[in-house]
Amino acid sequence: MEKKTFWHHLLNHSLYFMKVFLLVPILFLIVACQNTAKKTPKAKTPEKTFNYSAFQKDYAEILDAIITHDTYISRLIITEKPETYIENKFIKDLIHTTYKEDYPLGDAIGIRELFGHLGYSMQDSIGFLNQTRARDTVYIPQPIAHKYMVKDSNRLTMEERFLTKLVFHLPILTHNGQKAFVSVDHICGGLCGQGWYFILEKIKGKWKVVKYEDTWIA
């Protein structure tokens, strides 16, 4: 009986050590996999870009409302022999979010100025930035190109280079799509031009100019 007990204990110890030697590499493998998983950064979800094509109808109606409003612009464009064309691409305004720069120079606008014109909500503040931050090109809508003289200034003929041009800045819309801010420039030479901003509201389903002011003149 003693011999059997000895061999029995020996066999049990041998099996125990075999299990330990087998488990140790497996445990190391599990720990290594966990560390690798922690070090591997999670893939970032791509940011949603603003869908400009969804607002082409609004852009067209906004521009048409500005052009047909009884201002200097309407007299430039709506004539029997128009001498002014519309640039075929929108300019995108840069929005400054620092409160010290309410009226920055160049193609820029202060966020507080927008709040003053269009009203403020958290959704609007984010929406204003989303509409202008993407650098992709937004073209003047086709209904405007079919109705008025729209040209690419980089592809003018020699005769067309003597024309003056209107440059529309991309309309900035509120979150509910009921108000819009638009800057417009009239370029008539190197040191000749004038600019305005327009505030529009959608009233009974149609865009109407409710306010406009001069912004610069040369």
Side-chain angles (χ1 to χ4, degrees):
M1 288 292 292
E2 291 180 0
K3 288 183 178 180
K4 287 183 179 179
T5 304
F6 170 77
W7 290 110
H8 181 72
H9 282 297
L10 183 62
L11 180 61
N12 285 341
H13 281 294
S14 299
L15 291 171
Y16 172 77
F17 283 114
M18 286 176 66
K19 289 178 181 178
V20 171
F21 282 120
L22 287 171
L23 284 172
V24 169
I26 293 172
L27 289 171
F28 273 115
L29 183 61
I30 292 170
V31 172
C33 289
Q34 288 178 341
N35 288 337
T36 304
K38 287 179 182 178
K39 290 178 182 178
T40 304
K42 291 183 179 179
K44 290 184 178 179
T45 304
E47 293 182 358
K48 292 181 180 179
T49 55
F50 189 80
N51 185 10
Y52 298 105
S53 61
F55 293 90
Q56 287 295 303
K57 185 174 183 291
D58 282 303
Y59 294 158
E61 291 177 359
I62 287 169
L63 265 59
D64 203 32
I66 292 172
I67 293 168
T68 55
H69 194 66
D70 186 19
T71 61
Y72 179 66
I73 291 176
S74 65
R75 293 190 288 276
L76 282 171
I77 294 294
I78 306 172
T79 61
E80 291 182 5
K81 293 182 179 180
E83 297 178 352
T84 302
Y85 68 93
I86 298 170
E87 182 63 50
N88 74 331
K89 295 178 285 291
F90 284 111
I91 286 180
K92 284 190 180 180
D93 290 307
L94 297 173
I95 297 179
H96 285 266
T97 56
T98 54
Y99 285 98
K100 292 180 180 179
E101 298 180 31
D102 285 344
Y103 301 96
L105 298 174
D107 299 328
I109 184 171
I111 191 74
R112 280 200 356 190
E113 185 182 353
L114 277 179
F115 292 159
H117 292 314
L118 304 179
Y120 169 78
S121 75
M122 185 62 70
Q123 289 174 316
D124 281 328
S125 62
I126 295 170
F128 295 159
L129 294 173
N130 284 342
Q131 290 175 65
T132 57
R133 68 178 177 177
R135 292 295 92 192
D136 50 324
T137 302
V138 184
Y139 290 93
I140 297 297
Q142 282 301 313
I144 296 298
H146 290 151
K147 192 172 181 179
Y148 304 104
M149 185 165 57
V150 175
K151 294 183 177 294
D152 183 348
S153 59
N154 294 316
R155 298 183 177 183
L156 296 178
T157 64
M158 186 59 69
E159 292 78 10
E160 289 171 339
R161 292 182 188 279
F162 292 97
L163 299 173
T164 67
K165 70 175 178 178
L166 283 175
V167 180
F168 282 91
H169 297 228
L170 185 73
I172 300 174
L173 281 71
T174 54
H175 180 74
N176 62 8
Q178 299 302 301
K179 290 185 178 181
F181 174 92
V182 187
S183 292
V184 186
D185 300 319
H186 175 228
I187 310 299
C188 50
L191 294 174
C192 174
Q194 190 174 357
W196 309 266
Y197 75 73
F198 288 81
I199 309 298
L200 299 95
E201 287 186 21
K202 189 179 277 190
I203 302 170
K204 295 181 180 180
K206 291 186 177 181
W207 285 101
K208 303 285 185 182
V209 174
V210 295
K211 181 182 179 181
Y212 73 93
E213 284 190 8
D214 296 342
T215 54
W216 65 274
I217 191 167

Short mmCIF file of all heavy atoms in Angstrom, two decimals, residues 159-204:
data_model
loop_
_atom_site.label_atom_id
_atom_site.label_comp_id
_atom_site.label_asym_id
_atom_site.label_seq_id
_atom_site.Cartn_x
_atom_site.Cartn_y
_atom_site.Cartn_z
N GLU A 159 -13.77 90.40 -73.92
CA GLU A 159 -14.85 91.38 -73.80
C GLU A 159 -15.50 91.33 -72.41
O GLU A 159 -15.86 92.36 -71.83
CB GLU A 159 -15.91 91.13 -74.88
CG GLU A 159 -15.47 91.42 -76.30
CD GLU A 159 -14.60 90.29 -76.88
OE1 GLU A 159 -14.51 89.22 -76.22
OE2 GLU A 159 -14.00 90.49 -77.94
N GLU A 160 -15.64 90.12 -71.87
CA GLU A 160 -16.31 89.95 -70.58
C GLU A 160 -15.49 90.51 -69.42
O GLU A 160 -16.03 90.79 -68.35
CB GLU A 160 -16.60 88.47 -70.33
CG GLU A 160 -17.69 87.90 -71.23
CD GLU A 160 -17.81 86.40 -71.12
OE1 GLU A 160 -16.83 85.75 -70.68
OE2 GLU A 160 -18.88 85.87 -71.49
N ARG A 161 -14.19 90.69 -69.64
CA ARG A 161 -13.34 91.21 -68.57
C ARG A 161 -13.66 92.67 -68.22
O ARG A 161 -13.24 93.18 -67.18
CB ARG A 161 -11.86 91.09 -68.95
CG ARG A 161 -11.41 89.63 -69.02
CD ARG A 161 -9.94 89.52 -69.34
NE ARG A 161 -9.57 88.14 -69.58
CZ ARG A 161 -9.31 87.25 -68.62
NH1 ARG A 161 -9.35 87.63 -67.37
NH2 ARG A 161 -9.01 86.00 -68.91
N PHE A 162 -14.42 93.34 -69.08
CA PHE A 162 -14.81 94.72 -68.81
C PHE A 162 -16.11 94.79 -68.02
O PHE A 162 -16.54 95.88 -67.63
CB PHE A 162 -14.95 95.50 -70.13
CG PHE A 162 -13.64 95.70 -70.83
CD1 PHE A 162 -13.24 94.85 -71.86
CD2 PHE A 162 -12.78 96.73 -70.45
CE1 PHE A 162 -12.02 95.03 -72.51
CE2 PHE A 162 -11.57 96.92 -71.09
CZ PHE A 162 -11.18 96.06 -72.12
N LEU A 163 -16.75 93.64 -67.78
CA LEU A 163 -17.97 93.61 -66.98
C LEU A 163 -17.63 93.74 -65.50
O LEU A 163 -16.53 93.42 -65.06
CB LEU A 163 -18.72 92.29 -67.21
CG LEU A 163 -19.21 91.98 -68.62
CD1 LEU A 163 -19.76 90.57 -68.68
CD2 LEU A 163 -20.26 92.99 -69.09
N THR A 164 -18.59 94.23 -64.73
CA THR A 164 -18.43 94.22 -63.27
C THR A 164 -19.10 92.94 -62.75
O THR A 164 -19.82 92.25 -63.48
CB THR A 164 -19.07 95.46 -62.63
OG1 THR A 164 -20.49 95.41 -62.79
CG2 THR A 164 -18.52 96.73 -63.24
N LYS A 165 -18.86 92.60 -61.47
CA LYS A 165 -19.42 91.34 -60.98
C LYS A 165 -19.97 91.47 -59.56
O LYS A 165 -19.54 92.31 -58.77
CB LYS A 165 -18.38 90.23 -61.02
CG LYS A 165 -17.25 90.36 -60.01
CD LYS A 165 -16.35 89.12 -60.08
CE LYS A 165 -15.17 89.23 -59.11
NZ LYS A 165 -14.33 88.02 -59.13
N LEU A 166 -20.95 90.63 -59.29
CA LEU A 166 -21.51 90.46 -57.95
C LEU A 166 -20.98 89.16 -57.37
O LEU A 166 -20.98 88.13 -58.05
CB LEU A 166 -23.03 90.40 -57.99
CG LEU A 166 -23.80 91.71 -58.16
CD1 LEU A 166 -25.29 91.41 -58.28
CD2 LEU A 166 -23.55 92.65 -56.99
N VAL A 167 -20.51 89.21 -56.14
CA VAL A 167 -20.01 88.02 -55.45
C VAL A 167 -20.90 87.78 -54.23
O VAL A 167 -20.99 88.64 -53.34
CB VAL A 167 -18.55 88.19 -55.01
CG1 VAL A 167 -18.07 86.93 -54.30
CG2 VAL A 167 -17.66 88.49 -56.22
N PHE A 168 -21.57 86.64 -54.21
CA PHE A 168 -22.42 86.28 -53.08
C PHE A 168 -21.64 85.43 -52.09
O PHE A 168 -20.98 84.47 -52.47
CB PHE A 168 -23.65 85.50 -53.55
CG PHE A 168 -24.73 86.36 -54.17
CD1 PHE A 168 -24.73 86.60 -55.54
CD2 PHE A 168 -25.71 86.93 -53.38
CE1 PHE A 168 -25.70 87.39 -56.11
CE2 PHE A 168 -26.69 87.73 -53.95
CZ PHE A 168 -26.69 87.96 -55.32
N HIS A 169 -21.72 85.80 -50.82
CA HIS A 169 -21.18 84.95 -49.76
C HIS A 169 -22.23 83.90 -49.42
O HIS A 169 -23.43 84.15 -49.56
CB HIS A 169 -20.84 85.78 -48.53
CG HIS A 169 -19.77 86.80 -48.78
ND1 HIS A 169 -18.68 86.96 -47.94
CD2 HIS A 169 -19.61 87.72 -49.77
CE1 HIS A 169 -17.91 87.93 -48.41
NE2 HIS A 169 -18.45 88.40 -49.51
N LEU A 170 -21.78 82.74 -49.01
CA LEU A 170 -22.70 81.64 -48.72
C LEU A 170 -23.73 82.06 -47.66
O LEU A 170 -23.35 82.54 -46.59
CB LEU A 170 -21.93 80.42 -48.22
CG LEU A 170 -22.76 79.16 -48.01
CD1 LEU A 170 -23.16 78.54 -49.34
CD2 LEU A 170 -22.00 78.14 -47.17
N PRO A 171 -25.02 81.90 -47.96
CA PRO A 171 -26.03 82.22 -46.94
C PRO A 171 -25.82 81.38 -45.67
O PRO A 171 -25.55 80.18 -45.75
CB PRO A 171 -27.35 81.83 -47.63
CG PRO A 171 -27.06 81.92 -49.09
CD PRO A 171 -25.64 81.49 -49.24
N ILE A 172 -25.92 82.03 -44.53
CA ILE A 172 -25.82 81.34 -43.24
C ILE A 172 -27.23 81.25 -42.67
O ILE A 172 -27.86 82.28 -42.39
CB ILE A 172 -24.88 82.09 -42.28
CG1 ILE A 172 -23.47 82.16 -42.89
CG2 ILE A 172 -24.83 81.40 -40.92
CD1 ILE A 172 -22.50 83.00 -42.09
N LEU A 173 -27.73 80.03 -42.53
CA LEU A 173 -29.11 79.82 -42.12
C LEU A 173 -29.21 79.43 -40.65
O LEU A 173 -28.30 78.80 -40.11
CB LEU A 173 -29.76 78.72 -42.97
CG LEU A 173 -30.24 79.09 -44.37
CD1 LEU A 173 -29.05 79.32 -45.31
CD2 LEU A 173 -31.13 78.01 -44.94
N THR A 174 -30.32 79.80 -40.03
CA THR A 174 -30.59 79.36 -38.67
C THR A 174 -30.97 77.88 -38.67
O THR A 174 -31.29 77.30 -39.71
CB THR A 174 -31.74 80.17 -38.04
OG1 THR A 174 -32.88 80.11 -38.91
CG2 THR A 174 -31.33 81.61 -37.83
N HIS A 175 -30.94 77.29 -37.48
CA HIS A 175 -31.23 75.86 -37.34
C HIS A 175 -32.62 75.50 -37.86
O HIS A 175 -32.80 74.44 -38.48
CB HIS A 175 -31.08 75.44 -35.88
CG HIS A 175 -31.36 74.00 -35.63
ND1 HIS A 175 -30.48 73.00 -35.99
CD2 HIS A 175 -32.44 73.39 -35.07
CE1 HIS A 175 -31.00 71.82 -35.66
NE2 HIS A 175 -32.18 72.03 -35.11
N ASN A 176 -33.59 76.38 -37.64
CA ASN A 176 -34.95 76.07 -38.09
C ASN A 176 -35.20 76.46 -39.55
O ASN A 176 -36.30 76.26 -40.08
CB ASN A 176 -35.99 76.77 -37.19
CG ASN A 176 -35.88 78.29 -37.22
OD1 ASN A 176 -35.13 78.86 -38.02
ND2 ASN A 176 -36.61 78.95 -36.35
N GLY A 177 -34.16 77.01 -40.21
CA GLY A 177 -34.27 77.32 -41.63
C GLY A 177 -35.20 78.48 -41.95
O GLY A 177 -35.66 78.61 -43.09
N GLN A 178 -35.45 79.37 -40.98
CA GLN A 178 -36.40 80.47 -41.19
C GLN A 178 -35.74 81.83 -41.33
O GLN A 178 -36.41 82.80 -41.71
CB GLN A 178 -37.40 80.51 -40.03
CG GLN A 178 -38.24 79.25 -39.88
CD GLN A 178 -39.03 78.91 -41.13
OE1 GLN A 178 -39.84 79.71 -41.59
NE2 GLN A 178 -38.79 77.75 -41.70
N LYS A 179 -34.45 81.94 -41.04
CA LYS A 179 -33.72 83.20 -41.20
C LYS A 179 -32.38 82.94 -41.88
O LYS A 179 -31.82 81.85 -41.77
CB LYS A 179 -33.48 83.86 -39.83
CG LYS A 179 -34.74 84.41 -39.17
CD LYS A 179 -34.38 85.15 -37.88
CE LYS A 179 -35.60 85.76 -37.23
NZ LYS A 179 -35.25 86.51 -35.99
N ALA A 180 -31.88 83.98 -42.56
CA ALA A 180 -30.60 83.84 -43.27
C ALA A 180 -29.85 85.16 -43.26
O ALA A 180 -30.46 86.24 -43.30
CB ALA A 180 -30.82 83.36 -44.70
N PHE A 181 -28.53 85.04 -43.21
CA PHE A 181 -27.62 86.20 -43.30
C PHE A 181 -26.77 86.01 -44.55
O PHE A 181 -26.18 84.95 -44.76
CB PHE A 181 -26.73 86.26 -42.06
CG PHE A 181 -25.67 87.33 -42.12
CD1 PHE A 181 -25.91 88.59 -41.60
CD2 PHE A 181 -24.43 87.07 -42.68
CE1 PHE A 181 -24.94 89.59 -41.65
CE2 PHE A 181 -23.45 88.05 -42.74
CZ PHE A 181 -23.71 89.31 -42.22
N VAL A 182 -26.69 87.03 -45.39
CA VAL A 182 -25.93 86.94 -46.64
C VAL A 182 -25.14 88.23 -46.86
O VAL A 182 -25.71 89.33 -46.78
CB VAL A 182 -26.85 86.72 -47.86
CG1 VAL A 182 -26.01 86.47 -49.12
CG2 VAL A 182 -27.81 85.56 -47.63
N SER A 183 -23.86 88.11 -47.16
CA SER A 183 -23.04 89.26 -47.58
C SER A 183 -22.92 89.25 -49.09
O SER A 183 -22.85 88.17 -49.72
CB SER A 183 -21.64 89.18 -46.96
OG SER A 183 -21.71 89.36 -45.56
N VAL A 184 -22.90 90.41 -49.68
CA VAL A 184 -22.79 90.55 -51.14
C VAL A 184 -21.77 91.64 -51.45
O VAL A 184 -21.77 92.70 -50.81
CB VAL A 184 -24.15 90.89 -51.79
CG1 VAL A 184 -24.01 90.87 -53.32
CG2 VAL A 184 -25.24 89.94 -51.34
N ASP A 185 -20.91 91.39 -52.44
CA ASP A 185 -19.92 92.37 -52.89
C ASP A 185 -20.15 92.68 -54.36
O ASP A 185 -20.37 91.76 -55.17
CB ASP A 185 -18.50 91.84 -52.71
CG ASP A 185 -18.19 91.50 -51.25
OD1 ASP A 185 -18.59 92.29 -50.37
OD2 ASP A 185 -17.57 90.45 -51.01
N HIS A 186 -20.06 93.97 -54.71
CA HIS A 186 -20.06 94.38 -56.11
C HIS A 186 -18.65 94.88 -56.44
O HIS A 186 -18.18 95.85 -55.84
CB HIS A 186 -21.09 95.48 -56.36
CG HIS A 186 -21.04 96.02 -57.75
ND1 HIS A 186 -21.02 97.38 -58.03
CD2 HIS A 186 -21.00 95.39 -58.95
CE1 HIS A 186 -20.97 97.56 -59.34
NE2 HIS A 186 -20.96 96.36 -59.93
N ILE A 187 -17.98 94.20 -57.37
CA ILE A 187 -16.61 94.54 -57.74
C ILE A 187 -16.64 95.20 -59.12
O ILE A 187 -17.08 94.59 -60.10
CB ILE A 187 -15.70 93.29 -57.79
CG1 ILE A 187 -15.85 92.46 -56.50
CG2 ILE A 187 -14.25 93.69 -58.03
CD1 ILE A 187 -15.46 93.18 -55.25
N CYS A 188 -16.18 96.46 -59.18
CA CYS A 188 -16.21 97.17 -60.46
C CYS A 188 -14.82 97.66 -60.88
O CYS A 188 -14.70 98.51 -61.76
CB CYS A 188 -17.19 98.34 -60.38
SG CYS A 188 -16.97 99.42 -58.94
N GLY A 189 -13.80 97.12 -60.27
CA GLY A 189 -12.43 97.49 -60.62
C GLY A 189 -11.50 97.29 -59.45
O GLY A 189 -11.93 96.87 -58.36
N GLY A 190 -10.22 97.58 -59.65
CA GLY A 190 -9.23 97.36 -58.61
C GLY A 190 -9.52 98.14 -57.34
O GLY A 190 -9.38 97.63 -56.23
N LEU A 191 -9.94 99.39 -57.49
CA LEU A 191 -10.25 100.24 -56.34
C LEU A 191 -11.69 100.74 -56.42
O LEU A 191 -12.01 101.86 -56.02
CB LEU A 191 -9.28 101.43 -56.27
CG LEU A 191 -7.82 101.07 -55.99
CD1 LEU A 191 -6.95 102.32 -56.10
CD2 LEU A 191 -7.67 100.44 -54.60
N CYS A 192 -12.55 99.90 -56.95
CA CYS A 192 -13.96 100.26 -57.10
C CYS A 192 -14.83 99.11 -56.63
O CYS A 192 -14.65 97.96 -57.06
CB CYS A 192 -14.26 100.57 -58.57
SG CYS A 192 -16.01 100.86 -58.93
N GLY A 193 -15.75 99.40 -55.73
CA GLY A 193 -16.65 98.35 -55.27
C GLY A 193 -17.50 98.79 -54.10
O GLY A 193 -17.35 99.90 -53.58
N GLN A 194 -18.39 97.91 -53.73
CA GLN A 194 -19.30 98.20 -52.64
C GLN A 194 -19.80 96.87 -52.07
O GLN A 194 -19.88 95.87 -52.78
CB GLN A 194 -20.49 99.03 -53.14
CG GLN A 194 -21.39 99.57 -52.04
CD GLN A 194 -22.45 100.51 -52.60
OE1 GLN A 194 -22.47 100.79 -53.81
NE2 GLN A 194 -23.32 101.01 -51.74
N GLY A 195 -20.14 96.87 -50.77
CA GLY A 195 -20.63 95.65 -50.14
C GLY A 195 -21.84 95.89 -49.27
O GLY A 195 -22.06 97.02 -48.79
N TRP A 196 -22.64 94.85 -49.08
CA TRP A 196 -23.84 94.93 -48.25
C TRP A 196 -23.98 93.61 -47.48
O TRP A 196 -23.42 92.59 -47.85
CB TRP A 196 -25.11 95.09 -49.09
CG TRP A 196 -25.09 96.18 -50.09
CD1 TRP A 196 -25.56 97.46 -49.94
CD2 TRP A 196 -24.60 96.12 -51.44
NE1 TRP A 196 -25.39 98.20 -51.09
CE2 TRP A 196 -24.80 97.38 -52.03
CE3 TRP A 196 -24.00 95.11 -52.20
CZ2 TRP A 196 -24.43 97.67 -53.34
CZ3 TRP A 196 -23.63 95.39 -53.50
CH2 TRP A 196 -23.84 96.66 -54.06
N TYR A 197 -24.79 93.66 -46.42
CA TYR A 197 -25.28 92.41 -45.84
C TYR A 197 -26.81 92.45 -45.87
O TYR A 197 -27.42 93.53 -45.78
CB TYR A 197 -24.75 92.17 -44.43
CG TYR A 197 -25.37 92.99 -43.33
CD1 TYR A 197 -26.67 92.73 -42.86
CD2 TYR A 197 -24.66 94.02 -42.72
CE1 TYR A 197 -27.23 93.48 -41.85
CE2 TYR A 197 -25.23 94.77 -41.70
CZ TYR A 197 -26.52 94.50 -41.27
OH TYR A 197 -27.08 95.24 -40.27
N PHE A 198 -27.40 91.29 -46.04
CA PHE A 198 -28.86 91.17 -46.11
C PHE A 198 -29.33 90.19 -45.03
O PHE A 198 -28.71 89.14 -44.81
CB PHE A 198 -29.29 90.64 -47.48
CG PHE A 198 -29.15 91.63 -48.59
CD1 PHE A 198 -27.92 91.84 -49.19
CD2 PHE A 198 -30.25 92.36 -49.05
CE1 PHE A 198 -27.77 92.76 -50.22
CE2 PHE A 198 -30.11 93.27 -50.08
CZ PHE A 198 -28.87 93.48 -50.67
N ILE A 199 -30.43 90.53 -44.38
CA ILE A 199 -31.11 89.62 -43.46
C ILE A 199 -32.43 89.24 -44.12
O ILE A 199 -33.19 90.11 -44.56
CB ILE A 199 -31.40 90.27 -42.09
CG1 ILE A 199 -30.12 90.90 -41.52
CG2 ILE A 199 -31.99 89.25 -41.13
CD1 ILE A 199 -29.01 89.92 -41.25
N LEU A 200 -32.66 87.93 -44.21
CA LEU A 200 -33.89 87.45 -44.84
C LEU A 200 -34.65 86.55 -43.88
O LEU A 200 -34.05 85.89 -43.03
CB LEU A 200 -33.59 86.67 -46.13
CG LEU A 200 -32.89 87.45 -47.25
CD1 LEU A 200 -31.38 87.21 -47.18
CD2 LEU A 200 -33.42 87.04 -48.62
N GLU A 201 -35.97 86.53 -44.05
CA GLU A 201 -36.82 85.62 -43.29
C GLU A 201 -37.73 84.88 -44.26
O GLU A 201 -38.14 85.44 -45.30
CB GLU A 201 -37.66 86.38 -42.27
CG GLU A 201 -36.88 86.89 -41.07
CD GLU A 201 -37.79 87.49 -40.01
OE1 GLU A 201 -39.00 87.16 -40.00
OE2 GLU A 201 -37.29 88.29 -39.20
N LYS A 202 -38.05 83.64 -43.91
CA LYS A 202 -38.99 82.88 -44.71
C LYS A 202 -40.39 83.17 -44.16
O LYS A 202 -40.73 82.77 -43.05
CB LYS A 202 -38.69 81.39 -44.65
CG LYS A 202 -39.50 80.57 -45.63
CD LYS A 202 -39.16 79.09 -45.55
CE LYS A 202 -37.93 78.79 -46.37
NZ LYS A 202 -37.72 77.31 -46.50
N ILE A 203 -41.17 83.91 -44.95
CA ILE A 203 -42.51 84.32 -44.54
C ILE A 203 -43.54 83.65 -45.44
O ILE A 203 -43.52 83.84 -46.67
CB ILE A 203 -42.65 85.86 -44.61
CG1 ILE A 203 -41.59 86.52 -43.70
CG2 ILE A 203 -44.06 86.31 -44.23
CD1 ILE A 203 -41.48 88.02 -43.86
N LYS A 204 -44.39 82.86 -44.84
CA LYS A 204 -45.40 82.09 -45.58
C LYS A 204 -44.75 81.27 -46.70
O LYS A 204 -45.25 81.19 -47.83
CB LYS A 204 -46.48 83.01 -46.15
CG LYS A 204 -47.31 83.69 -45.09
CD LYS A 204 -48.39 84.57 -45.69
CE LYS A 204 -49.23 85.25 -44.61
NZ LYS A 204 -50.30 86.12 -45.17
#
